[in-house]
Amino acid sequence: MRAVQGRAVQGRAAGAGLLLLALTGCAPAVQVPAQAHPVQVWEGTGRVLLREQGYRLTFTADPRTHLLSGTLENRSSGDRFQATGTLLPGPDGAELTAHITAGNGARLSASVLGLGVSGLALKSDALLSGRVAGEVFRGALRVNGVAYPVELRRVR
């Protein structure tokens, strides 16, 4: 009789273990919080319309998706723009491509005798592209179809 009871207890314990194992397989996976991506800051100059301009590019880049998001500040004028794009790793560094937009910047709305414009951005969008090699970014800022050389150095 004891042998039969012992087998019954073992059978129930094994069944409970299998049930627990099956239920944990149905449980939602615990998500590990994403690690914060380090902020990169780059500063340097570019020559736009024959004038040297100071720039600061601040962004974070996701190492899995290579998407970058941040700001480009024209330190000479104080204008700040949104930057979104990619930072693609390569054998000799990385390729940075970012769309630069005025975002919610100033807009022009004017009319004369009922004819006019509304919501026209006062600052042009641009494309920043180039190569990161070590601590230096060399590339171009393309504004209204004209490319201007830019060189930035990592500051942190």
Side-chain angles (χ1 to χ4, degrees), residues 33 37-38 45 49 63 71-73 75-76 82 90 95 99 102 106 108 110 114 130 132 146 154:
H37 306 297
T45 59
L49 297 175
T71 60
L72 177 69
E73 180 184 353
R75 299 184 82 195
S76 301
Q82 294 174 348
E95 291 291 326
H99 297 278
L108 174 65
V132 174
V146 180
R154 187 189 310 251

Side-chain angles (χ1 to χ4, degrees), residues 1 3 5 19 24 37 59 75 84 102 108 112 122 132 138 154:
M1 180 74 175
Q5 285 179 341
L19 179 62
T24 57
H37 306 297
F59 66 89
R75 299 184 82 195
T84 56
L108 174 65
V112 175
L122 295 178
V132 174
R138 286 187 182 92
R154 187 189 310 251

Side-chain angles (χ1 to χ4, degrees), residues 17-141:
L18 289 175
L19 179 62
L20 182 61
L21 184 61
L23 289 176
T24 57
C26 297
V30 175
Q31 293 223 324
V32 176
Q35 293 181 354
H37 306 297
V39 175
Q40 296 188 39
V41 179
W42 298 74
E43 292 181 352
T45 59
R47 187 164 292 281
V48 178
L49 297 175
L50 304 176
R51 290 187 43 211
E52 190 166 284
Q53 304 284 312
Y55 291 102
R56 174 184 281 160
L57 176 63
T58 305
F59 66 89
T60 59
D62 185 323
R64 290 178 296 119
T65 63
H66 307 293
L67 294 177
L68 108 120
S69 177
T71 60
L72 177 69
E73 180 184 353
N74 181 326
R75 299 184 82 195
S76 301
S77 68
D79 293 329
R80 185 178 295 241
F81 302 90
Q82 294 174 348
T84 56
T86 57
L87 182 63
L88 300 173
D92 299 331
E95 291 291 326
L96 185 146
T97 303
H99 297 278
I100 309 299
T101 60
N104 295 331
R107 302 216 175 257
L108 174 65
S109 295
S111 67
V112 175
L113 301 174
L115 301 173
V117 294
S118 178
L120 180 66
L122 295 178
K123 301 291 180 177
S124 296
D125 290 351
L127 179 68
L128 178 66
S129 61
R131 178 175 281 300
V132 174
E135 302 294 310
V136 178
F137 167 80
R138 286 187 182 92
L141 183 64

